[in-house]
Amino acid sequence: MSGLKPEVLRFTGHRAFTHRLVLATLTGRPVHISKIRSSSPTNPGLAPHEVSFLRLLEAVTNGSVIDVSYTGTTVMYQPGLITGTVPGVGAALPSDTIEHVLPANCTRAVTYFLIPLALLAPFSKGHMNVRFSGPGVITSATHGTGDMSIDTFRTAVLPLYSLFGIPVERINLTVLTRSCPGPAGKGGGGVVELRFASQVRLPKTLHLNRRPGRIKKIYGVAYCTGVSASHNNRMITSARGVLNQLCSDVRIAAQYDTAPLVAEKGSAQKKKIGIGFGLSLVAESSAAGVIYAADEVAPPQGGVVPEDIGTRCAYQLLEVIAQGGCVMAAAAPTVLTLMAMGSEDVGRVRLGRHVVGSEEIIGLARDLKVFGGSSWGISDAGDDDGNGDLKVSVKGTGVGNVGRKVA
């Protein structure tokens, strides 16, 4: 019976595309995804960022087989072993770092690739060192797709890995060149490098079901590329006008960069791209491990003043805090996936009612069950303050890191 091939899991549509491929890679289950934008008359099939993610998966694994139909509406993926960066194999730099180039028509922020890559990295056989470059790298948040900025990912998502026994001291995320979305939201020309050297056998069982506590400090980064540095001060001042009334410790740094130069296709001339500005805010609670974050960025077409960006981001942060729970909605899929991949014990996490009821989290629960996970247990948090938080219990599947035998 051990020689039988695992059953192919079938999905439809482009929703949760990266997360389903991550779950397939972690569990070793082949997947067949069909009807990817099949009803679109102008752009059917895989989008440029999805094709690029498939190439990234191929680069960090060994033995993966990816078959895409002629129209791009069907993908067959047979996962291999997560090897990470292997010296001398693939498009590796002299520093043993994989170079992944994003196309100029990419409309997603680089965090679209970093979030699933960081989920795979703890289960890799070796270190996961990847540099994202090319005309399509956007380090800021994005408007239409709702991707978080590189600053929010670094300060609000990566620290959560320490809750699972994955030391964040060995995770290094470097922004070499910043960029905002280019014309029509496509491309940016940034450069980002992730060096993930925290590989573990099994993530620890998480118990984060206590009260979220009170906000003790708020910090963030105001960034602008290719525009006046005064935009940072204007965003910071307007954000402080909202937050200083609620928290005494508010620290927002300013980051100014020149716009990156990107060569035009078929020409030796270079032009400035990725011009814009935005703000990333993070709120830290008095309870250990509880972090909330919000992002706001100026749209590529312009027409928004820095004061509006600062005020919107501040109010957006307050909305995220008001949702409650110990994990914000943007980081909940990462936390719940690591809980499901951990040791065969029941972990618990406290989430806001609106977070649990979101389409993304409900879809994640269904996908985890299809991939062999157990059903979640959901109950009221049991507090008397009436905030409506829920306690989600997740039993680990014990998948862990098959390529690494040490603890």
Side-chain angles (χ1 to χ4, degrees), residues 113-383:
F113 304 90
L114 285 172
I115 291 174
L117 185 65
L119 273 175
L120 294 174
F123 308 95
S124 173
K125 187 175 182 179
H127 295 178
M128 189 76 77
N129 304 329
V130 180
R131 176 181 294 177
F132 294 89
S133 61
V137 179
I138 304 171
T139 63
S140 71
T142 56
H143 247 285
T145 56
D147 295 322
M148 69 176 67
S149 68
I150 194 75
D151 301 287
T152 299
F153 175 72
R154 178 170 51 193
T155 56
V157 177
L158 285 182
L160 298 176
Y161 281 80
S162 62
L163 302 174
F164 297 90
I166 303 170
V168 294
E169 295 80 13
R170 303 190 67 193
I171 306 174
N172 185 21
L173 182 62
T174 307
V175 184
L176 303 174
T177 304
R178 286 181 176 269
S179 63
C180 293
K186 297 180 180 180
V191 180
V192 175
E193 183 172 310
L194 174 68
R195 304 184 70 86
F196 203 116
S198 296
Q199 281 70 43
V200 294
R201 180 68 187 95
L202 276 173
K204 290 183 179 179
T205 304
L206 177 67
H207 296 286
L208 193 63
N209 57 344
R210 56 183 176 272
R211 289 175 181 263
R214 292 182 175 272
I215 302 302
K216 64 178 182 179
K217 65 178 178 179
I218 298 174
Y219 50 92
V221 176
Y223 52 87
C224 60
T225 57
V227 296
S228 173
S230 64
H231 285 57
N232 285 334
N233 295 330
R234 294 165 64 183
M235 286 187 290
I236 293 172
T237 301
S238 60
R240 278 183 169 277
V242 177
L243 300 175
N244 280 349
Q245 307 173 51
L246 307 171
C247 182
S248 59
D249 190 0
V250 180
R251 306 175 187 178
I252 307 175
Q255 178 72 39
Y256 170 76
D257 294 88
T258 57
L261 290 171
V262 176
E264 295 183 1
K265 190 174 182 181
S267 173
Q269 294 182 345
K270 292 185 176 181
K271 65 176 181 179
K272 288 185 177 181
I273 197 173
I275 299 173
F277 53 92
L279 179 63
S280 166
L281 292 175
V282 178
E284 194 172 305
S285 171
S286 57
V290 180
I291 304 173
Y292 307 99
D295 268 306
E296 193 65 41
V297 66
Q301 65 271 21
V304 179
V305 295
E307 287 81 2
D308 288 347
I309 297 297
T311 304
R312 287 179 194 173
C313 192
Y315 281 119
Q316 186 179 336
L317 178 65
L318 298 181
E319 289 181 6
V320 174
I321 297 172
Q323 288 179 352
C326 294
V327 179
M328 63 177 180
T334 296
V335 171
L336 292 168
T337 302
L338 288 173
M339 292 174 69
M341 295 297 115
S343 56
E344 298 185 37
D345 195 4
V346 178
R348 297 172 180 84
V349 64
R350 178 173 177 148
L351 298 175
R353 190 175 295 269
H354 292 291
V355 175
V356 178
S358 65
E359 184 178 352
E360 183 180 12
I361 299 301
I362 292 175
L364 174 62
R366 292 171 177 169
D367 289 345
L368 283 172
K369 190 169 184 181
V370 171
F371 280 98
S374 58
S375 300
W376 296 349
I378 301 176
S379 60
D380 287 327
D383 293 339

